Amino acid sequence: MSSAPATTDTPIVQALDGVVGAGDRVVSVAPVALDAPGRAVPLEVRVSAPATGENLPVLLFSHGNGWPLDGYAPLTAFWAAQGFVVVQPTHLDSRRNGIGLDNPVFGQIWTERRDDLQRILDQFAAVEAAVPGLAGRVDRDQVVVAGHSWGAQTVQMLLGARILDASGHPGEDYADRRVRAGILLAATGIGGEELHPFARQHFPFIVSSFVDAPAFRRGGIEAPAWAGQGRPVRAPGGSGVVSGGG
């Protein structure tokens, strides 16, 4: 039998508890099926929430390429323990779905990812009902979206980033006004020539601009310099950008 301390009883966790406070117990339910007519495979999500508390804010998490709803557990469990209702979909690019680069569906996954997050918000009553005792404890007007890598690009779309075409013109506005803030982890920056050749070939949609993004207009703050603004600025490696909305 190992004598190693539990992961919740280590010096670093104790130090963090001293800063943010000890978290609540977490209840997590998966898979939760949501309606997604026309989707290549059914949409399933994981819902994690604190066992107690009222007026809980919502946090949607979009995973990086290939991951499922079970990924990033230490991070999402921490957020739930600190009072968020965290919802994690399995996007179509998950390795569990077996949709490779040569599959005709792959070219539309970048918009399907955005659709997944909007489906969650549209069907949040079903999300609440999936976790015993959660119904009535959620503040659906307080919605945060967070994502890592490709997930960060997905989150950018809901914040108002628009995809630039080959001539540099911004495309459709996919912003969702229900979203009040976003967290981008290891985001793609301005894309274009800054991308690796593999990414330029297979992920041309990650050329983004935050100019006039509604999440930044509402928050009264400037878009990150690296995320467009017409200047060729390289994204800081592995940095996160937090945008606030009012």
Side-chain angles (χ1 to χ4, degrees):
M1 182 174 180
S2 173
S3 60
T7 56
T8 55
D9 190 28
T10 60
I12 189 170
V13 171
Q14 293 169 5
L16 287 172
D17 284 349
V19 176
V20 300
D24 197 354
R25 292 173 301 146
V26 172
V27 178
S28 189
V29 177
V32 176
L34 297 179
D35 291 336
R39 197 174 186 268
V41 297
L43 173 60
E44 294 182 339
V45 304
R46 172 176 292 279
V47 187
S48 303
T52 63
E54 304 291 333
N55 300 316
L56 303 172
V58 176
L59 192 155
L60 310 185
F61 184 78
S62 180
H63 61 70
N65 183 33
W67 285 83
L69 54 78
D70 299 316
Y72 306 84
L75 177 61
T76 56
F78 173 80
W79 280 332
Q82 295 299 320
F84 287 93
V85 177
V86 183
V87 188
Q88 301 170 253
T90 293
H91 294 302
L92 288 177
D93 54 276
S94 172
R95 285 183 287 273
R96 292 183 178 179
N97 294 327
I99 299 175
L101 296 172
D102 57 346
N103 191 305
V105 173
F106 192 87
Q108 299 302 315
I109 287 179
W110 67 282
T111 55
E112 280 286 346
R113 281 173 147 266
R114 181 280 317 264
D115 292 346
D116 287 345
L117 299 185
Q118 291 188 315
R119 288 166 178 141
I120 293 169
L121 294 177
D122 292 343
Q123 301 175 58
F124 213 84
V127 172
E128 284 191 38
V131 180
L134 181 61
R137 297 169 49 215
V138 182
D139 185 349
R140 300 186 197 176
D141 293 327
Q142 301 293 331
V143 178
V144 179
V145 288
H148 170 247
S149 190
W150 195 351
Q153 189 272 336
T154 304
V155 165
Q156 289 177 180
M157 295 169 66
L158 268 68
L159 295 174
R162 298 166 70 182
I163 308 305
L164 302 179
D165 63 20
S167 60
H169 294 108
E172 185 176 348
D173 181 2
Y174 291 110
D176 192 312
R177 272 62 180 179
R178 292 172 292 186
V179 174
R180 297 177 62 85
I183 303 171
L184 314 182
L185 305 173
T188 55
I190 61 175
E193 294 303 314
E194 300 295 311
L195 295 174
H196 187 279
F198 178 88
R200 288 203 298 270
Q201 178 182 354
H202 296 286
F203 303 94
F205 48 81
I206 59 179
V207 182
S208 303
S209 171
F210 270 98
V211 175
D212 241 10
F216 288 94
R217 290 202 308 271
R218 291 199 309 271
I221 58 178
E222 293 186 3
W226 57 260
Q229 311 241 357
R231 296 197 297 272
V233 181
R234 184 181 297 275
S239 68
V241 175
V242 180
S243 69

